[in-house]
Amino acid sequence: MERSHNKLCSPKRRCASRRTASTIQVPPVPVRLLLFVFLAMTILPIHVSASFSMVVQHGTEECFVIRAPKEKSVISGNYDQLDDEISADPLRVTLYDEAEKKLWSSPVGAPEGKFSVTSPGGRNMLCITNGIEYDDDTGNADDRHVGFAVRVRPATVRAQEDAVEGPDSRVMSNLIEMSEDLLDDFQDLNDHQAYLKVREAEHRDLTEKTYARIVRWTVLEALVLMSIAGGQVMYLKKFFEKTSYL
């Protein structure tokens, strides 16, 4: 049968049939891997997230309470100074746990940063400091517009039964951790896009205000020029009238 089929088919058709046969063959390993990825994405713990932006005045500290579940939790997030025209020094963002122990702190003067720490749960605080811990010589005394986002999720527990972990359980745990890291990175990217929109809105407002001022000054200048021109015309008219009388 194969010989008769080869005689009836042209070389182009034989090549096409071979290509079709090669594409139909799908190895079983990628299918299993995709199944694990799908299961990992479906059983990820629920995230609780919030995004804010505020103006922190110089010499003040703004703190926000983050209430995490009593069990071990992962608190992640990021911040970004939205004022690009001024220096970030002496801005600092710090995360404290329930016992007021420092879990994470940004470098002094860093305009942006992100964090992901494990908390024992309970009452945590995220504090944004604008110069109260340092002298005025270390930075400028400007108010700073800061955007930040916080996310809370339960910590991942590796799947174990009777203290024995099989290869499938290890693969599943690794996939869950990779999926959580990928989700955190995606949310950080989404937050920075939101910060860019805030910057765009501020720049648009500044441009509109500048344009409105230019229009007002142009109209005022036109009125002044018209008044001066009208005064000159009236003066010349009176001057020629007096000359004609003489």
Side-chain angles (χ1 to χ4, degrees), residues 56-59 81 83-91 109 130-132 134-144:
V56 183
Q57 298 180 355
H58 178 72
Q81 178 178 305
D83 300 317
D84 297 331
E85 63 275 4
I86 62 176
S87 173
D89 190 18
L91 183 68
N130 187 12
I132 64 174
Y134 313 97
D135 298 331
D136 293 338
D137 296 336
T138 61
N140 47 36
D142 293 328
D143 300 337
R144 288 168 173 80

Side-chain angles (χ1 to χ4, degrees), residues 32-195:
R32 188 177 180 183
L33 181 60
L34 291 176
L35 179 60
F36 277 130
V37 173
F38 175 76
L39 292 176
M41 293 299 293
T42 54
I43 65 177
L44 283 177
I46 300 176
H47 290 65
V48 178
S49 61
S51 301
F52 304 93
S53 64
M54 63 175 304
V55 176
V56 183
Q57 298 180 355
H58 178 72
T60 61
E61 182 181 42
E62 299 290 343
C63 294
F64 298 86
V65 177
I66 304 171
R67 297 190 180 275
K70 291 298 182 181
E71 62 271 10
K72 185 180 293 186
S73 304
V74 176
I75 302 176
S76 61
N78 56 75
Y79 77 94
D80 194 350
Q81 178 178 305
L82 304 179
D83 300 317
D84 297 331
E85 63 275 4
I86 62 176
S87 173
D89 190 18
L91 183 68
R92 170 177 281 183
V93 180
T94 310
L95 180 64
Y96 299 95
D97 61 2
E98 191 172 9
E100 296 186 0
K101 179 182 177 181
K102 185 183 296 184
L103 297 177
W104 178 84
S105 180
S106 66
V108 179
E112 62 180 5
K114 64 178 183 178
F115 56 89
S116 179
V117 297
T118 302
S119 172
R123 186 175 181 270
N124 302 270
M125 285 195 306
L126 182 68
C127 297
I128 304 175
T129 305
N130 187 12
I132 64 174
E133 299 178 357
Y134 313 97
D135 298 331
D136 293 338
D137 296 336
T138 61
N140 47 36
D142 293 328
D143 300 337
R144 288 168 173 80
H145 190 189
V146 182
F148 61 97
V150 179
R151 291 176 291 274
V152 181
R153 59 176 171 83
T156 303
V157 180
R158 288 185 174 272
Q160 293 184 353
E161 293 182 0
D162 299 331
V164 177
E165 188 179 48
D168 293 341
S169 299
R170 287 195 297 269
V171 171
M172 180 64 68
S173 299
N174 293 332
L175 286 176
I176 292 176
E177 292 180 358
M178 293 173 60
S179 301
E180 289 176 349
D181 295 338
L182 181 61
L183 182 60
D184 288 339
D185 294 338
F186 176 77
Q187 289 177 338
D188 288 336
L189 180 61
N190 190 22
D191 293 334
H192 284 291
Q193 288 180 347
Y195 300 152

Side-chain angles (χ1 to χ4, degrees), residues 8-43:
L8 293 176
C9 296
S10 62
K12 294 183 179 180
R13 293 183 62 183
R14 285 202 299 271
C15 294
S17 63
R18 290 175 183 175
R19 286 199 300 269
T20 305
S22 62
T23 54
I24 291 176
Q25 296 178 357
V26 179
V29 177
V31 176
R32 188 177 180 183
L33 181 60
L34 291 176
L35 179 60
F36 277 130
V37 173
F38 175 76
L39 292 176
M41 293 299 293
T42 54
I43 65 177

Side-chain angles (χ1 to χ4, degrees), residues 231-242:
Q232 291 178 347
V233 170
M234 294 299 296
Y235 175 78
L236 291 175
K237 182 179 179 181
K238 292 182 179 180
F239 176 78
F240 285 116
E241 288 180 352
K242 290 181 180 180

